[in-house]
Amino acid sequence: MFSGEYESTWSLPGMSARTVVIDGFSKSFAMTGWRLGYAVAPKRVVDAMDLLVLNTFTCVAEYTQVAAIEALLDSTHAVEAMVEEYRKRRDLFVAGLNGIPGFRCQSPGGAFYAWVNIAETGLAAEEVAKLLLEEAGVAGIAGAAFGPRGTNYLRFSLVSARHLLEEALERIQRVSTRWRATVVP
């Protein structure tokens, strides 16, 4: 989270008895590709899950387990530094997106994705995504891929280095001339 206090679902009344958390180290600890995850659940559910995956998820490499322990201990405060860097990238990119005609973007509270409303471009999200990819070399995913409420939205990742995000904003700005004529002031 970039701001506020984290509140676990487990802390809400009665939720620890009926909540299953399945997560991994990929995003929280920048360990993509390590394929290490975990589950937290009531014992009866864990026992059932164990039977289900007994021969599927086995033999995680020792170095991966050691790296996960180090990540959880976070003795170098790497997570804090990483969150601060993502906050800077978010602020830079969201401000830049909001300067593009037809784009409206609220700052995400904890994700490193920007969810951009493109309705004012007058184009479908799939069309804007195609234009950006083919003419600007910038990848955005049409929001409909995330469900029906995603229509008129694009999702961009904020994980690239700041100079790359700045370059992407410049490229998007140049391509935006294609829909500027349709934007209502």
Side-chain angles (χ1 to χ4, degrees):
M1 287 183 60
F2 295 118
S3 60
E5 286 294 316
Y6 172 75
E7 184 177 7
S8 171
T9 302
W10 278 65
S11 69
L12 301 174
M15 292 306 293
S16 63
R18 59 180 199 244
T19 301
V20 175
V21 176
I22 300 173
D23 207 346
F25 288 78
S26 294
K27 292 195 169 59
S28 298
F29 298 102
M31 293 174 67
T32 55
W34 293 61
R35 302 296 182 240
L36 181 64
Y38 58 89
V40 180
K43 183 170 179 0
R44 62 181 163 64
V45 176
V46 170
D47 291 343
M49 290 171 66
D50 189 36
L51 289 173
L52 181 66
V53 300
L54 182 62
N55 293 310
T56 306
F57 306 117
T58 59
C59 303
V60 174
E62 182 180 2
Y63 68 87
T64 303
Q65 295 176 59
V66 170
I69 291 167
E70 288 300 316
L72 290 169
L73 294 173
D74 194 22
S75 60
T76 63
H77 306 288
V79 172
E80 186 178 308
M82 201 167 68
V83 169
E84 181 57 30
E85 177 59 29
Y86 284 139
R87 179 183 293 111
K88 290 176 182 175
R89 293 176 192 185
R90 175 204 64 184
D91 293 347
L92 168 99
F93 201 63
V94 168
L97 288 170
N98 282 319
I100 294 170
F103 278 22
R104 286 185 293 117
C105 183
Q106 294 182 0
S107 284
F112 40 73
Y113 297 103
W115 187 245
V116 185
N117 185 308
I118 55 88
E120 293 175 12
T121 66
L123 302 174
E126 292 78 9
E127 190 175 349
V128 174
K130 184 178 178 185
L131 278 170
L132 292 178
L133 186 60
E134 292 178 356
E135 295 186 23
V138 176
I141 300 174
F146 304 98
R149 290 188 174 186
T151 304
N152 293 324
Y153 285 87
L154 288 179
R155 187 185 84 162
F156 294 98
S157 172
L158 306 172
V159 297
S160 294
R162 279 187 266 170
H163 74 279
L164 295 175
L165 293 172
E166 289 170 337
E167 184 179 330
L169 289 166
E170 290 170 9
R171 291 177 179 193
I172 295 169
Q173 185 71 39
R174 283 196 299 268
V175 172
S176 73
T177 59
R178 298 287 300 270
W179 59 76
R180 283 185 189 167
T182 63
V183 176
V184 178

